[in-house]
Amino acid sequence: MIVRVFTGRVVARREGDFNANVRAPLDQIRNQPGNVYVKFARKVEGDREVVMLITEWRTPADLYAWTGGEVDMPHMVDLEMLEDWKVEHWE
């Protein structure tokens, strides 16, 4: 199993747009071959919202297929709405 953890800090006053854009494709992610789990979470930290998207994949091949091989880049996330972000993978 591969757990992919995306975290980011949303640009001020874009929280609603960002959340709507991430929540819309959650079912699409759930239906990807090899996806075991998907969860979107958020919290306020200071004057910004911090977001987390956790996905779990049966195999590295399933993760590579979903990301088109770009495993270090956020997938299905509008980077223009983020001040900073990171992607981590856990086994």
Side-chain angles (χ1 to χ4, degrees):
M1 296 279 187
I2 303 294
V3 175
R4 177 182 170 93
V5 180
F6 160 79
T7 55
R9 184 176 303 277
V10 181
V11 172
R13 296 175 299 279
R14 297 299 309 268
E15 298 88 355
D17 294 334
F18 184 85
N19 291 326
N21 287 347
V22 170
R23 289 181 191 280
L26 290 181
D27 283 337
Q28 182 182 351
I29 297 169
R30 282 185 189 97
N31 293 325
Q32 292 297 308
N35 180 262
V36 176
Y37 177 82
V38 61
K39 183 68 170 184
F40 175 66
R42 60 195 180 113
K43 69 177 183 174
V44 174
E45 204 171 79
D47 64 344
R48 294 290 189 273
E49 184 173 79
V50 177
V51 294
M52 178 182 291
L53 180 63
I54 302 168
T55 55
E56 185 175 349
W57 302 89
R58 289 190 204 293
T59 68
D62 293 326
L63 174 61
Y64 275 89
W66 179 64
T67 62
E70 296 182 339
V71 296
D72 294 328
M73 292 297 296
H75 194 67
M76 302 181 104
V77 173
D78 186 347
L79 296 178
E80 292 182 13
M81 290 191 216
L82 297 170
E83 290 181 353
D84 56 51
W85 56 268
K86 71 178 177 177
V87 176
E88 298 178 298
H89 298 93
W90 300 76
E91 197 170 1

